[in-house]
Amino acid sequence: AVDGAGAGRRLQRDLEQENGGAGVYSMDWRKLYKLREKEWAHDIIPEIVDGKNIGDFVDADIEAKLEELEKEEAAQLAALEAEEAMKPDLPEMDSADADMLDRIREKKALIRKLHAREKTKNRPGITRASRAMRGLDGEELEEHLTSVGMPEEDAAAVAASVAARSSHSRSRSTSRPASRKRSLAEMDERP
């Protein structure tokens, strides 16, 4: 109120400045409620959950019950500590036992890593090409197939087809095929 124009009237701006300024002060909106009785504006609003007033379910003796539970818990903890104190202490590990424990833990960690690596493989352990390169030639394959019960004629045919497949290279040649070379040479000779 400047110059005494509104000396008796307190503005909302004055209340804001008295109570911390902008961003801190929060206006009491309840004074704007339009109710039959002005005192009703500051009544406690009941909390309703699932259509029921929570105030109806509040226990007046809750503090006494909480203290009783805390005393019971303290007694149980004291009994547990007394029981732990009665147990004999385990002997300390010497350096040899500690070393052995470390080696066991390292071995377990290694086993876990190997298992994780093997588990992630979604492919055959060895490729067909490397299996063929292992030294299993046609005769050995035929002997193996006949030993597991395959007729000799069928075993010979399978061994021959595997030998034929493994004999030719599956990689690209760095040189041109002979037919292509010949055709280029013929083109150069023409006038």
Side-chain angles (χ1 to χ4, degrees):
V2 181
D3 297 332
R9 186 171 170 211
R10 293 182 68 197
L11 299 175
Q12 198 64 41
R13 169 88 59 201
D14 298 331
L15 289 173
E16 180 181 13
Q17 291 302 321
E18 290 171 12
N19 293 309
V24 176
Y25 172 72
S26 180
M27 180 181 149
D28 183 17
W29 292 96
R30 292 187 223 169
K31 68 181 181 181
L32 300 177
Y33 289 177
K34 295 181 180 178
L35 302 171
R36 220 177 307 144
E37 301 289 331
K38 285 282 186 191
E39 301 86 41
W40 291 354
H42 294 286
D43 284 351
I44 297 172
I45 299 173
E47 240 182 279
I48 307 294
V49 174
D50 294 333
K52 297 179 174 73
N53 184 355
I54 291 179
D56 295 340
F57 298 96
V58 173
D59 190 2
D61 300 336
I62 194 75
E63 292 294 328
K65 290 178 181 177
L66 180 62
E67 286 179 30
E68 184 180 321
L69 278 173
E70 287 176 349
K71 287 179 185 176
E72 184 180 329
E73 182 182 9
Q76 287 177 350
L77 285 175
L80 185 62
E81 287 175 6
E83 185 179 317
E84 288 291 324
M86 299 295 283
K87 287 184 178 178
D89 290 335
L90 295 174
E92 293 292 322
M93 279 197 292
D94 60 348
S95 62
D97 290 341
D99 290 340
M100 184 172 289
L101 181 63
D102 288 340
R103 282 185 281 158
I104 290 171
R105 287 181 178 156
E106 288 172 4
K107 181 72 173 181
K108 282 185 174 183
L110 179 66
I111 290 171
R112 278 191 213 104
K113 285 180 185 176
L114 289 174
H115 176 70
R117 190 177 340 144
E118 290 299 318
K119 193 170 92 170
T120 58
K121 286 185 181 178
N122 191 15
R123 55 186 172 77
I126 186 166
T127 62
R128 288 182 184 181
S130 59
R131 236 183 291 144
M133 299 300 283
R134 281 184 135 169
L136 188 65
D137 62 351
E139 293 174 8
E140 292 174 354
L141 180 60
E142 187 176 347
E143 288 175 15
H144 172 69
L145 292 175
T146 54
S147 69
V148 294
M150 184 179 268
E152 286 186 25
E153 300 83 29
D154 295 340
V158 169
S161 69
V162 168
R165 242 184 281 144
S166 64
S167 66
H168 72 322
S169 173
R170 291 182 158 232
S171 63
R172 282 189 187 181
S173 175
T174 55
S175 64
R176 293 182 182 159
S179 62
R180 174 105 171 124
K181 285 181 186 176
R182 196 175 318 120
S183 63
L184 288 175
E186 290 171 4
M187 290 175 80
D188 289 338
E189 292 175 5
R190 290 186 202 166

